[in-house]
Each structure stands twice: as C-alpha cells, then as structure tokens.
Amino acid sequence: MATGERPHGTFEDALALLVGGLLIALGLAILNAAGLVTGGMAGVALLVGHYLPRDLQFPPGLLFALLNLPFLVLAFRAMGSLFTLRTVAGSAAIAALSIAVGHTLELQVRDPALAAIGAGCLLGMGTLAFVRHGTGVGGIGVVTVWLSRKRGWNIGRTQLSIDIVILAAAAAMMPLVSVAWSTLSAASMGLVTGLWLRPGRYAGFSPYTVDRGRLKEALKRSRRGPQDAS
C-alpha cells in the first residue's frame, strides 16, 4: 500500500502529458502502419480510420481526439472541470504529436507480432502517465478512471472487458489474422495498465483531482521531515 502521499507539481503534470501523449501517438502510428487495431478509444479510432475514404483520412491521433469530444460531457459531470480540462489538454497533445509523428516518421512494419506488442506497451505506458497525473485517456479511458475512483474497479481489467467488445466488432470487418494480432496488442496494453495502475500502489497524485481534505493531509506530510512523520 502506498504511504506518504505527495502531490505532483505543475511541471510534472505538464511533462506527463507531453511524454504520455508522445507514447500514445507513436503506438497509434505503429498500429496504423501495421493495419491493426487495439482496445479502447484508440482501437475505435484506428478501426474507423481504416474504413474512411482516402480523401477523408486523418492522422490516427487527430481522429482519436475528435472521437473523444462527446465523452467530455461525461468527464465534466462525473470527474469535475479540472479533470476535464486536463483531458482536453491530453487529447490536444495526442492530436498534435500524432500529426508531428506523421510528418517526421515513415513507418514500415515487417513483423506484426512485434508491432502489436510494442505498440500495446507504448499505449499502456502513455495511459499510465496520463492517469497518474489526473488525465483521462480517451472517452473509454474516462469511463474506466471514473469506475476506478468511484467503485474501486481495476482500470486494466475494466479496459480489457471493453476491449473484448471492440475487438469483436473488428472481427466482423477485418481478416481474422489481423484481429488476432490486434488482440495481442490490446492484451499488451491491458497488462501494462493492469500491473501498474493498481489502487494504493503509488504515492504521488495530482492535487486537482482529489478532495481538499486528502490534499491538505498530503501537503502536511510532505512538509514534515522524516523525524516528524515517524
């Protein structure tokens, strides 16, 4: 169990959005180049992108951000205005970095297995960076974070359950071999988030996402020296 909670600073939160956004943008680009999908809103964005007309193609991260817009209402009502603002900033970072990746990298995938596992891990670590700093990752990510905080549901397991539904939809539109590799990617992402987003395993938090009482107590502990805290 995590002890001695300490709030993140503003710089840490901003850096988490930048690093997490880059990891997610790279993961999306790899899957898009491999013709695969994954779970969560990222998988929905990739699936939609594969079937858009050529003249309506968007970078996967930009499409991801656009599809997230309707879920911001849930984020605002369920998690509050500051969480919603963080989520908007995170989606904007993913969209901008996805465009940048598309203009700077030309990806060619020869091994779908490594692409699926690597992209899944990148997406998982990007999600980890966002959630640890009070930011939702996509509309479905907002739902999983809300369920984790309100009901204590494990984010990774909840995400995996939703992923099964998304991959089942993909099976009706894609070759089965692509669905199999996409399932591997979703499992890799779910494994990362399931292992490292367990409640009580992490002492840091972002002040804008917790109640004032918890924040005051954490700030008092962070200001006390080791001898006072013992």
Side-chain angles (χ1 to χ4, degrees), residues 25-34 101-102 104-110:
L26 288 170
L28 288 170
I30 292 172
L31 289 175
N32 190 53
V101 167
T104 56
L105 298 179
E106 186 174 348
L107 299 174
Q108 185 176 9
V109 176
R110 294 190 176 93

Side-chain angles (χ1 to χ4, degrees), residues 2 37 41 58-61 77 87-88 102 121 127 132-133 137 168-169 173 177-178 196 203 229:
V37 299
M41 188 55 73
F58 296 100
R77 296 183 63 180
T87 301
V88 170
C121 290
T127 299
R132 288 296 190 203
H133 291 264
V137 186
M173 309 181 205
V177 64
S178 296
W196 289 306

